[in-house]
Amino acid sequence: MARKTKAEAEQTRKDILDAALELFHAKGYSRTTLEDIALSAGVTRGAIYWHFKDKVDLFTAIKEEVEHSTETRLEDLLLLSVTNLSDMRDNLLRLFVNLERDSRFRRYFELIFFRAEFTEELQPVMEQFKEKCWRMQERDKTDLVRLQQAGKLPAHLDCTQAALGFRCLILGIIHSWLMDESLFVLAEQGIALVDDYLQKLCLSKEKL
């Protein structure tokens, strides 16, 4: 049998990733087998093992491919510029619009929130997500402190608490929308909730 060209090998890898995402999303990570993925992708199990070490490696590759294509890798997010609260708002609006418009991106988020059982097998992946959430919360705190020092936020604002609240709000909005997209329009009501929160930071009063 002739060796595949580089382009053919890349297409095979893409076919496997596409099939895995669809099946993980439809059946859940634990209930999907490599045999299921091979059949759906029209390849052999050997082809999967040529590109991926195991199912966890395949899951991680989906994560990296989707985040790279949507510029939502941690390194991408940490590079976003914030000079005003409106920048934080606009960065989130881009995420919300992307989730609404990109079905593949949305399925990935649904997989992460609802269909990936983070048991021992996926603990390394869970640790990556925890690290990402923590780093983003720390980045938010740093941005809020800088805005506070520039006089754009009240001097008494607890930036650590504000960053935690902001992260919980974002995750809660996305989680609620993914559960039932008919409840609200993410790029409208979702961003309105963000606007309300950021406005309240500006108007926050000292604790009693």
Side-chain angles (χ1 to χ4, degrees):
M1 181 181 295
R3 290 178 60 86
K4 286 188 175 182
T5 66
K6 183 177 180 180
E8 289 172 334
E10 284 299 313
Q11 184 60 52
T12 297
R13 186 178 189 276
K14 181 181 183 302
D15 291 342
I16 294 169
L17 287 173
D18 289 344
L21 177 56
E22 291 297 328
L23 288 170
F24 288 158
H25 180 268
K27 299 176 61 174
Y29 174 83
S30 294
R31 294 181 61 194
T32 300
T33 67
L34 291 181
E35 288 84 353
D36 294 332
I37 296 169
L39 181 62
S40 179
V43 301
T44 64
R45 280 192 57 175
I48 293 179
Y49 283 120
W50 176 261
H51 292 280
F52 307 100
K53 182 173 64 175
D54 51 29
K55 195 165 72 165
V56 175
D57 188 40
L58 180 50
F59 187 99
T60 302
I62 291 172
K63 171 183 176 294
E64 292 174 351
E65 187 272 328
V66 172
E67 291 187 351
H68 178 76
S69 65
T70 55
E71 298 183 345
T72 53
R73 297 172 300 174
L74 178 61
E75 53 266 41
D76 297 320
L77 297 175
L78 292 176
L79 287 175
L80 293 175
S81 175
V82 172
T83 57
N84 292 286
L85 285 180
S86 60
D87 293 326
M88 299 177 74
R89 184 253 192 206
D90 292 343
N91 291 338
L92 268 179
L93 179 57
R94 284 192 289 273
L95 173 65
F96 289 173
V97 169
N98 206 356
L99 274 171
E100 287 186 325
R101 294 180 178 177
D102 188 333
S103 60
R104 181 180 176 82
F105 192 38
R106 184 167 62 253
R107 285 195 298 275
Y108 166 70
F109 263 76
E110 290 171 346
L111 168 61
I112 297 304
F113 273 81
F114 306 122
R115 295 176 173 86
E117 304 86 345
F118 287 101
T119 54
E120 182 178 359
E121 183 180 10
L122 282 181
Q123 273 308 299
V125 181
M126 172 55 79
E127 291 302 317
Q128 291 177 15
F129 287 126
K130 288 165 62 176
E131 171 73 8
K132 185 174 183 177
C133 286
W134 181 82
R135 291 282 300 278
M136 288 307 302
Q137 185 175 319
E138 287 296 299
R139 163 64 192 268
D140 290 339
K141 182 180 76 172
T142 299
D143 290 335
L144 291 173
V145 168
R146 188 173 64 254
L147 295 177
Q148 187 179 56
Q149 293 172 343
K152 298 179 180 181
L153 287 172
H156 57 264
L157 178 68
D158 184 336
C159 293
T160 299
Q161 187 78 355
L164 172 60
F166 192 50
R167 190 58 33 191
C168 291
L169 175 65
I170 295 166
L171 293 174
I173 289 172
I174 294 174
H175 185 277
S176 297
W177 181 76
L178 290 174
M179 284 185 65
D180 186 353
E181 296 173 24
S182 69
L183 287 176
F184 59 94
V185 178
L186 187 58
E188 293 180 10
Q189 287 95 339
I191 204 65
L193 291 171
V194 172
D195 289 340
D196 287 345
Y197 183 83
L198 295 178
Q199 184 178 29
K200 286 173 183 175
L201 292 186
C202 296
L203 301 175
S204 63
K205 299 184 182 300
E206 294 186 67
K207 294 180 181 179
L208 296 178

